[in-house]
Amino acid sequence: MKEEFVVYILYSEKFNKNYTGFTSNLIERFKSHNFLGTKGHTLKFRPWKVIYVEFFPSKAEAMKREKYLKTGIGREFIKNLIHN
């Protein structure tokens, strides 16, 4: 079975914060962000909900998309997701 990569955007309504990342296992990564993780940026802004996902056939493509979503244009895209 070929590995698939996911770019995801999390949103914390409580703190009005978002987080963009990529993984090969979205369910486990989400658990880590919301319940299991004991350090890192996302710990402070729990609870998180997944507001967007995109699937990619390679890690390189997922990393490229994640990087794009962290640019000014990407942040506008995320802002529109949150407010619409």
Side-chain angles (χ1 to χ4, degrees), residues 7-84:
V7 172
Y8 60 92
I9 301 170
L10 304 178
Y11 180 65
S12 169
E13 288 180 345
K14 184 176 179 181
F15 296 99
N16 191 33
K17 295 281 186 186
N18 66 73
Y19 177 85
T20 303
F22 80 93
T23 184
S24 61
N25 188 333
L26 183 60
I27 302 298
E28 289 304 313
R29 192 71 179 121
F30 183 69
K31 284 183 197 175
S32 176
H33 285 305
N34 257 342
F35 309 109
L36 304 175
T38 58
K39 60 182 178 179
H41 174 76
T42 59
L43 180 68
K44 299 181 279 193
F45 303 109
R46 290 174 176 167
W48 294 98
K49 67 179 184 177
V50 177
I51 62 167
Y52 186 77
V53 295
E54 271 187 74
F55 297 90
F56 296 89
S58 73
K59 183 177 179 179
E61 289 173 274
M63 290 174 70
K64 184 176 177 181
R65 179 63 171 164
E66 178 195 24
K67 188 174 180 178
Y68 172 80
L69 288 171
K70 292 179 177 181
T71 68
I73 297 168
R75 286 193 302 272
E76 279 298 313
F77 172 79
I78 294 167
K79 190 165 89 172
N80 288 332
L81 277 176
I82 293 167
H83 296 294
N84 291 327

